[in-house]
């Protein structure tokens, strides 16, 4: 089961209020030019079946509840990738009245992909790091259960 998830992770993409720049790069990453699907990475719309949550944009008062809700619906074990500087720190939205800051103000983050906007090559690197984390977490969970 662990191997299957690592070979074909299912990804949920959530725009937390970004300018859409990083989202377009994520779509380019998954589309035929950069073709992340060749590594088995599949974009889906159902949090209950997702292994990886990819978030762009800052956490704010309006989206924090939705972000937490999506994260909580994902089954354990899961990893979170933040793409772009807005999701890491608030970025260009830092100090806006409704902005809380980076995504880690609301949910735990495993991997940060820097950039404004992040490039598809960097996003693919982020997926590779996230899969390593997912493997470590899955093995840890298995050891805890003693299976
Ligand atoms: S990091 Fe830059 S490109 Fe990405 S969402 Fe923020 S402002 Fe837009």
């Amino acid at each position: 089961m662990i191997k299957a998830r690592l070979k074909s992770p299912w990804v949920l993409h959530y725009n937390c209020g970004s300018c859409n720049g990083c989202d377009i790069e994520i779509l380019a990453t998954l589309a035929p030019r950069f073709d992340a699907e060749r590594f088995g990475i599949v974009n889906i719309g159902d949090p209950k079946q997702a292994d990886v949550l990819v978030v762009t944009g800052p956490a704010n008062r309006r989206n924090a509840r939705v972000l937490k809700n999506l994260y909580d619906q994902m089954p354990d074990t899961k990893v979170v990738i933040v793409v772009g500087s807005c999701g890491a720190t608030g970025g260009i939205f830092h100090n806006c009245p409704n902005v809380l800051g980076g995504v880690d103000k609301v949910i735990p983050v495993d991997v940060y992909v820097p950039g404004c906007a992040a490039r598809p090559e960097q996003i693919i690197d982020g997926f590779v790091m996230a899969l390593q984390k997912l493997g470590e977490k899955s093995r840890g969970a298995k050891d805890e259960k003693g299976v």
Side-chain angles (χ1 to χ4, degrees):
M1 183 63 180
I2 296 176
K3 277 189 184 164
R5 296 178 78 199
L6 296 181
K7 283 190 178 166
S8 183
W10 288 12
V11 174
L12 178 70
H13 170 203
Y14 179 56
N15 178 334
C16 221
S18 84
C19 78
N20 285 339
C22 286
D23 303 277
I24 295 210
E25 300 298 334
I26 290 169
L27 294 181
T29 306
L30 294 165
R33 181 158 179 214
F34 291 93
D35 198 13
E37 271 199 27
R38 77 194 131 123
F39 304 122
I41 298 164
V42 180
N43 192 27
I44 58 159
D46 182 1
K48 291 182 178 161
Q49 298 187 60
D51 307 302
V52 182
L53 176 61
V54 179
V55 187
T56 59
N60 65 41
R61 289 180 217 291
R62 197 177 173 93
N63 64 31
R65 190 173 51 84
V66 177
L67 179 60
K68 179 82 169 63
N69 195 355
L70 286 173
Y71 179 80
D72 287 344
Q73 284 185 70
M74 290 172 65
D76 288 328
T77 309
K78 53 198 168 191
V79 288
V80 177
I81 306 176
V82 162
V83 173
S85 50
C86 292
T89 63
I92 59 166
F93 302 105
H94 184 68
N95 278 346
C96 288
N98 68 331
V99 169
L100 301 170
V103 168
D104 63 357
K105 299 277 187 218
V106 180
I107 58 172
V109 175
D110 298 282
V111 175
Y112 291 94
V113 178
C116 178
R119 297 287 304 132
E121 296 89 339
Q122 293 173 286
I123 297 171
I124 289 174
D125 280 350
F127 277 125
V128 171
M129 283 189 263
L131 291 186
Q132 284 169 355
K133 280 265 183 185
L134 188 63
E136 286 165 17
K137 284 185 175 185
S138 300
R139 281 188 290 275
K142 201 173 154 194
D143 290 346
E144 266 178 31
K145 282 184 194 161
V147 228

